[in-house]
Amino acid sequence: SDSIPKYFVERYHGEAALGIFAAITYILVAENTVIRALGQSGAPRMAKLCSENCIRDFMKLLGKVIIIGVIIGGTGIFITLLAGTTILRWAYDSSYTEYSYDLFLVAVASTIFHVASFLSISLTAIRYLRIQPVLLGLSTVVMFIACLELVPRHGIKGAAFSLIVTASVQVFTQSLALLHAIRRISRNWDSSLQI
């Protein structure tokens, strides 16, 4: 699904716009690498807490990693607001500086994706696996529709907004799935205690 915005940008605005969009999104790759490592390091602990039905501790740990992710992402947002133009000039050249707002939008999307990433890892940790392909399919459809609506009219900004929309849908649907999974686990645990 990551390639969908790139496809639409190239299709409607050409290879030059695609290159700019790819360059803007590439700046945040390092941040995403840190987030992925953080989530993977917390996954075994989450799985252990879930198996022991320590749901409160599970949610506390999830809350902590989400807060860390939001802080990291929020720092990126702040930096793009404060020095986005300078960063683009330094990383590429002065022709990219007019896309500082697009960089800000991508930073916002990235921060929301951080939360979605941790929620996805938590669903895997508690072995709630069947729903994940469904959620992935839904987010792919949402991204396609968002790009179809936004990219032809708004170009790179539209692609960035489509990332925000998709990330927000992921967080919402994964949160619902996680709540459902936790309720199911708690019910099963209570039933086993009664037996």
Side-chain angles (χ1 to χ4, degrees):
S1 63
D2 292 345
S3 61
I4 293 175
K6 294 177 182 177
Y7 166 79
F8 274 92
V9 169
E10 182 178 20
R11 171 71 176 79
Y12 288 96
H13 299 280
E15 291 185 2
L18 173 62
I20 293 167
F21 179 68
I24 289 171
T25 54
Y26 184 77
I27 287 178
L28 301 170
V29 168
E31 183 181 296
N32 293 332
T33 303
V34 172
I35 292 297
R36 219 172 280 118
L38 179 62
Q40 293 299 333
S41 66
R45 175 70 176 154
M46 287 183 185
K48 185 174 185 295
L49 290 171
C50 182
S51 67
E52 296 171 353
N53 200 41
C54 299
I55 301 301
R56 185 173 295 177
D57 292 335
F58 174 90
M59 294 303 292
K60 282 182 181 178
L61 178 57
L62 177 59
K64 285 178 183 177
V65 294
I66 286 176
I67 288 170
I68 292 170
V70 170
I71 289 171
I72 293 171
T75 302
I77 291 171
F78 179 74
I79 290 172
T80 60
L81 277 174
L82 195 68
T85 302
T86 303
I87 291 168
L88 290 170
R89 184 185 297 115
W90 175 78
Y92 303 111
D93 60 56
S94 58
S95 66
Y96 283 77
T97 56
E98 66 181 280
Y99 299 99
S100 60
Y101 182 65
D102 306 71
L103 178 63
F104 162 74
L105 293 176
V106 170
V108 171
S110 183
T111 302
I112 304 171
F113 273 123
H114 295 343
V115 178
S117 177
F118 289 136
L119 290 170
S120 177
I121 288 169
S122 71
L123 287 170
T124 301
I126 62 178
R127 310 299 297 168
Y128 207 58
L129 304 176
R130 290 183 181 179
I131 192 64
Q132 294 196 57
V134 176
L135 298 182
L136 180 60
L138 176 61
S139 69
T140 301
V141 171
V142 167
M143 179 172 282
F144 185 89
I145 294 171
C147 286
L148 186 62
E149 289 295 318
L150 296 172
V151 174
R153 286 181 292 172
H154 304 289
I156 293 171
K157 283 184 180 63
F161 273 118
S162 74
L163 293 175
I164 292 174
V165 170
T166 304
S168 299
V169 168
Q170 283 188 7
V171 168
F172 178 70
T173 55
Q174 288 171 342
S175 297
L176 291 179
L178 182 61
L179 289 173
H180 183 269
I182 288 171
R183 286 174 184 164
R184 189 190 66 174
I185 291 167
S186 298
R187 282 198 304 268
N188 291 344
W189 186 269
D190 291 341
S191 298
S192 66
L193 288 179
Q194 288 172 10
I195 294 171

